Amino acid sequence: MKQQLSDYGLILDHIPVWYDSTSAINLSKNCILHSRTKHIEIRHHFLRDHVQKGDCVLEFVDTKNQLADIFTKLLPKENLFDIRRELGLIDINNLDS
């Protein structure tokens, strides 16, 4: 991820990843393997390893401010327009010729 960003001229010491699950954030910070986390496959520990190295930082974002929801969920019209505005997307129906 760092290499891809550096190819575009963005150099970051740590890459912020915004997530709306405090449980997932806490699991990434706690190295202790609990009985409830034994079902997690090894390949899913990739993010945890990078958090431990300091390559990326998981930060909490409130569910109503989760911009990725526009790509994964059906949203009410108001939320859709708010997220679209935050992402800098425009409505092609409102373009002036």
Side-chain angles (χ1 to χ4, degrees), residues 5-35:
L5 288 172
S6 67
D7 290 345
Y8 291 111
L10 295 170
I11 308 299
L12 298 173
D13 292 332
H14 61 277
I15 298 168
V17 177
W18 292 283
Y19 202 67
D20 61 354
S21 171
T22 54
S23 299
I25 293 171
N26 291 335
L27 270 176
S28 72
K29 294 177 182 177
N30 190 355
C31 292
I32 299 172
L33 184 66
H34 299 285
S35 61

Side-chain angles (χ1 to χ4, degrees), residues 64-65 67 79-89:
K64 65 180 179 177
N65 297 324
L67 298 181
N79 294 19
L80 178 70
F81 291 154
D82 290 343
I83 292 174
R84 191 175 66 186
R85 187 181 62 251
E86 288 289 326
L87 291 173
L89 301 175

Side-chain angles (χ1 to χ4, degrees), residues 52-63:
Q52 294 297 321
K53 290 180 198 174
D55 293 338
C56 62
V57 176
L58 292 180
E59 297 176 5
F60 179 75
V61 63
D62 198 20
T63 302

Side-chain angles (χ1 to χ4, degrees), residues 40-62:
I40 299 174
E41 296 180 24
I42 299 296
R43 64 189 172 109
H44 297 293
H45 291 282
F46 174 81
L47 184 59
R48 178 194 243 175
D49 293 339
H50 282 282
V51 168
Q52 294 297 321
K53 290 180 198 174
D55 293 338
C56 62
V57 176
L58 292 180
E59 297 176 5
F60 179 75
V61 63
D62 198 20

